[in-house]
Every structure is written in C-alpha cells, then in structure tokens.
Amino acid sequence: WSWNPNSGDTGGILKDDWKTVNCEKYQNLRRLMSYCSGDTNIGMESCSSSTPTPVCGNGTVEAGEQCDDRNTVSGDGCSSSCQTETPPPSANLTCTAKVRVEGSWPEGSNYKANIVTQITVNGQSLGNNFTMKYINPSYINKTNAWGWDPALISGGMSGRGTYINLNNGVKSEDLGISLIGSSSALKPQQVLINDTLCTMQ
C-alpha cells in the first residue's frame, strides 16, 4: 500500500486532497499495523467514527454539496458553497456537439468509458471561457479529463474549459473525459455550452 492517492495499484491511503486519510482503507490495514507496533490506535486520530465535515473545494462531492470543482469561486457553474449555478444562456449562441465513445468496458459492477467531444459554436467566439455540461444521470465519477475540468453534478458532469478554445464557426479540438457510470450507456444524452443546448451529431 502507498500513501499517495495516485498510486496505480491501490489508489493510496490518502484521499485526493493528499491530506485526509481514507479511513475505510486504513481500517483494513489497522490490524496488521497494530500487530507490528502493539499500538491499536496508531494513526487513527483522523479516523473517528463521526461523519467528516464536508470541505467545499476539494474536488469531491460530499454531503450537502451539489458539485465541487476544486475551487471556492462563484460564477463558474459551481458556487463558492459548492451549489450548482445556472448561468444565463449566451445571447445569439448556437452550438453543435460531435460526440464519440472511444472504448467502453465493465468496471466491477459499473462501467467505464472514454468520451470525446468536438464543439462548433456559432454566433460568438468564446475562447476557453465556457462551461460544458454532459447530461446523463448514470454518471458516478470521472478519472481523467482533457480540454476541460469537469466535476460531478446532479444529473451529469459540468466543467470549465481549460486550454481548448471555442471559436466562431470552427470545430474545436477534442475535449475528453474518462468516466465511470452505473450504466453501459455513457454517451451524454445532451451537451450544453454556457447552458445553450447543442445539436448532437
């Protein structure tokens, strides 16, 4: 077992914030560690039986949160209190989403897929100042993304653009995500740019 959360074998004992102990994993190791040290409480200070207080901005959707996009800034689709924001649709904006699934396979009792989307906007050039939403209620989590920074929301995924620009009339480069869902049908049912519903291709 490794402490770091990006360990390829077990995921590590620390959570994604690199500070909080994953108590469920730690409990599995507790018996071995206490046997070696004689201390039955070794390292358990942060693993009390009480429910941990949700931390907005840590990238994990916790109790009382609707979203968590790794920051506490409002106006980006996820508010400073980790509640979903609904920005007004961009005026005169239309968009087309060409979506393809590049591989889908079972992952335990769930399913995993790589999904790639190319966006064409008309009426405005947005640069990388956009929010893209995938609507699919079967989504559980994402493991990787490129071109945008999505987080789980009620009913799908939502995230801001990062380094890929959406320019008027120009098909974008690939925006991708590797995600896990409860259904094998992981292609988004709808794609929205700045809350404008895109035509699916």
Side-chain angles (χ1 to χ4, degrees):
W1 286 69
S2 173
W3 280 104
N4 52 306
N6 61 354
S7 169
D9 294 329
T10 62
I13 298 173
L14 294 180
K15 294 185 178 181
D16 289 342
D17 61 4
W18 289 76
K19 296 183 290 185
T20 307
V21 173
N22 184 319
C23 295
E24 182 179 356
K25 289 182 179 180
Y26 195 93
Q27 290 285 6
N28 292 331
L29 294 174
R30 184 179 181 187
R31 290 174 59 190
L32 176 61
M33 297 178 71
S34 63
Y35 175 81
C36 294
S37 68
D39 181 358
T40 58
N41 293 311
I42 183 171
M44 295 303 296
E45 296 83 0
S46 62
C47 288
S48 65
S49 59
S50 60
T51 302
T53 302
V55 178
C56 181
N58 65 1
T60 301
V61 179
E62 299 169 315
E65 298 179 344
Q66 296 178 336
C67 58
D68 196 313
D69 58 355
R70 298 187 183 86
N71 66 63
T72 53
V73 178
S74 295
D76 61 358
C78 186
S79 74
S80 59
S81 59
C82 285
Q83 303 300 303
T84 303
E85 298 176 316
T86 305
S90 299
N92 304 318
L93 178 70
T94 61
C95 55
T96 301
K98 184 175 182 179
V99 183
R100 63 185 189 272
V101 179
E102 295 189 340
S104 178
W105 60 94
E107 180 93 350
S109 60
N110 298 310
Y111 297 87
K112 191 171 183 179
N114 295 323
I115 299 174
V116 176
T117 302
Q118 291 178 308
I119 299 291
T120 303
V121 296
N122 290 287
Q124 292 186 38
S125 287
L126 303 177
N128 63 0
N129 185 27
F130 64 90
T131 297
M132 182 164 71
K133 291 182 181 178
Y134 280 178
I135 304 302
N136 188 325
S138 70
Y139 293 162
I140 296 173
N141 199 2
K142 69 96 185 279
T143 58
N144 190 25
W146 54 100
W148 63 313
D149 187 23
L152 188 67
I153 61 171
S154 177
M157 292 278 178
S158 178
R160 299 283 296 175
T162 53
Y163 59 86
I164 288 179
N165 294 324
L166 301 186
N167 295 317
N168 188 22
V170 180
K171 183 181 293 185
S172 74
E173 299 176 55
D174 289 345
L175 296 125
I177 185 172
S178 298
L179 54 78
I180 298 171
S182 59
S183 165
S184 60
L186 294 180
K187 185 175 180 179
Q189 299 165 357
Q190 296 177 324
V191 176
L192 296 88
I193 297 294
N194 289 359
D195 265 7
T196 295
L197 182 63
C198 296
T199 301
M200 301 285 284
Q201 290 186 338

